[in-house]
Amino acid sequence: MSKSKNKLKILSVVSEVVPFIATGGMGQVAGALATALAENSPELDVRVVAPLYAQFREKYEPSIRFVGEAVVKLAWRELYCGVYELEQNNVTYYFVDNRHYFGREAAYGYYDDGERFAFFSKAVFTVMQLSGFTPDVIHAHDWQTALVPIYIKTRFAQEFGGIRTVFTIHNMEYQGKYASEILTDVFDLWPTEMGLVEYDSCINLLKGAIVCADKLTTVSPTYARELQSGGGYGLDAIIAENAYKLSGIINGIDTKSYDPRTDQLLEKNYSEDTIEDKVFNKAKLQELFGLPVSPRKMLICVVSRLVSHKGIDLITYMLSELMKLDIQFLLLGTGDHDFELFFEEMALRYTDKIGVSIAYNPEIANKIYAGADVMLMPSRSEPCGLAQMIACRYGTIPIVRKTGGLADTISDCRMGNGNGFIFDDYSSGALLDTVTYALDLYANREGDWKNLMIEAMRRDFGWDLSAKAYADVYKALCENK
Ligand code: GLC
């Protein structure tokens, strides 16, 4: 591959990225976007930097190349920082090594996450020094890397102040909030810089990135609007002040790996023309979850993190009601312990109607996308959401709430040419009504339902347009330099 000097250099900085590590949508998006840009935008040299987590190290150690090591200073700490690299699909990935911070079982959820990602954000500058790759644009994602645009305006203004920054909000709910006392000690910011990150008398890293980044994006146009008008989790006013630099770019999905025609994980591959074969996947899925194999029972699924904003509480309120209908229900996901327990209990109570797997498992997820009839996403808020798009690709009909990216990607079949069902009110009544309506339509599986499946499969959710929109954002930033 030629990485010529006159290409625009982009460094995406992210705490997770497929295929190496992902716990949710952000990792999928970071990986797919980099690949799509490398494929479609030869004028860009796209590289990615992420932490070297333990799971990744075990799997990829033989194929990664050591670039160098240095000491990263974080306030009074002097910390080891190893840098490794790997090239895949024409994208160079750099990995930041420090076993104390990243040699742990999971990517997040530790008492010192603030310190771990402050270290990572500082280490990004060491990666640039050791690799010799000084980008024109740094693209940071969510609170874990919020300090990168903040450091460019503060600690590294002299050396790296010329780099333009894009900050993408994948989920406004996670802001990186900390007590103001640790500003200097952990985040290596000075008391005079508190104003940049201060919100509600606390440190709020997301707020700092919103203020410091040159350009803000979020993952759907509707979410961009919602953030300024009641959906900003307290930061609405800050977002509104910075709205001049905000745009909403809808995510895509990786249509190559999510393809029912070729997906190796499927019991039987199918396309719009052989959609009858989807039922073989349904039977296999019912078997996998220990449910009676029945082609005629509507199989409703949830593949989600089990957290409140995904609308999981709504499902818990109405699951018993749902059980009165002639359906089966499957759930795959991990998250809040109470939700996990609830669904496990329900699976014990309704052994032949409910199947549950408390896991994050992309392989089972694909089997569900292929085997299910309906994908339920009643999110309270949903910046973009990927499962509804993947479901469509596999001819599985989404029932979604009208919010964020769900509103931008799903149109209601009751209004004409739709690819799913959409309801507005965040209530179990509205959800139940919609499921009941879907069940009525499902009774006509050979006619209306089949047409709906074909319509859903025909929608283009690939990355082409969105990757181009990001490429345009990078270019516009550099034009104004
Ligand atoms: C977050 C959001 C989800 C979005 C994903 C990728 O996980 O909750 O809606 O699709 O990021 O941007």
Side-chain angles (χ1 to χ4, degrees), residues 16-37:
E16 55 180 84
V17 58
V18 291
F20 310 111
I21 173 139
T23 67
M26 181 173 70
Q28 293 202 31
V29 167
L33 173 61
T35 307
L37 286 169

Side-chain angles (χ1 to χ4, degrees), residues 172 175-180 193-208 210-211 232-239 241:
M172 192 67 167
Q175 301 183 352
K177 291 187 198 169
Y178 293 94
S180 51
E193 292 157 353
M194 180 63 186
L196 287 178
V197 290
E198 183 170 16
Y199 186 76
D200 240 358
S201 318
C202 286
I203 296 169
N204 185 316
L205 297 178
L206 201 73
K207 183 244 170 173
I210 292 169
V211 172
Y233 291 90
L235 294 181
D236 306 57
I238 306 284
I239 287 278
E241 270 166 39

Side-chain angles (χ1 to χ4, degrees), residues 24-30 142 168-172 174 219 223 251 305 309-310 377 381-389 405:
M26 181 173 70
Q28 293 202 31
V29 167
D142 271 3
T168 295
I169 300 167
H170 292 265
N171 198 329
M172 192 67 167
Y174 308 110
V219 288
Y223 196 59
N251 290 328
R305 274 185 296 123
H309 86 89
K310 295 281 183 187
M377 291 183 80
S381 69
E382 192 63 74
C384 177
L386 302 175
Q388 81 280 14
M389 295 190 268

Side-chain angles (χ1 to χ4, degrees), residues 352-402:
D352 58 352
K353 290 194 99 174
I354 298 186
V356 167
S357 170
I358 300 299
Y360 176 82
N361 186 323
E363 296 194 355
I364 298 183
N366 275 36
K367 293 178 201 278
I368 295 180
Y369 290 126
D373 295 305
V374 166
M375 178 65 59
L376 200 56
M377 291 183 80
S379 304
R380 193 196 305 271
S381 69
E382 192 63 74
C384 177
L386 302 175
Q388 81 280 14
M389 295 190 268
I390 305 171
C392 283
R393 180 99 174 123
Y394 286 84
T396 296
I397 303 306
I399 295 185
V400 305
R401 199 180 146 251
K402 193 170 183 183

Side-chain angles (χ1 to χ4, degrees), residues 130-149:
L130 289 176
S131 65
F133 183 74
T134 305
D136 299 290
V137 178
I138 288 189
H139 185 172
H141 305 259
D142 271 3
W143 78 266
Q144 292 91 343
T145 57
L147 277 164
V148 177

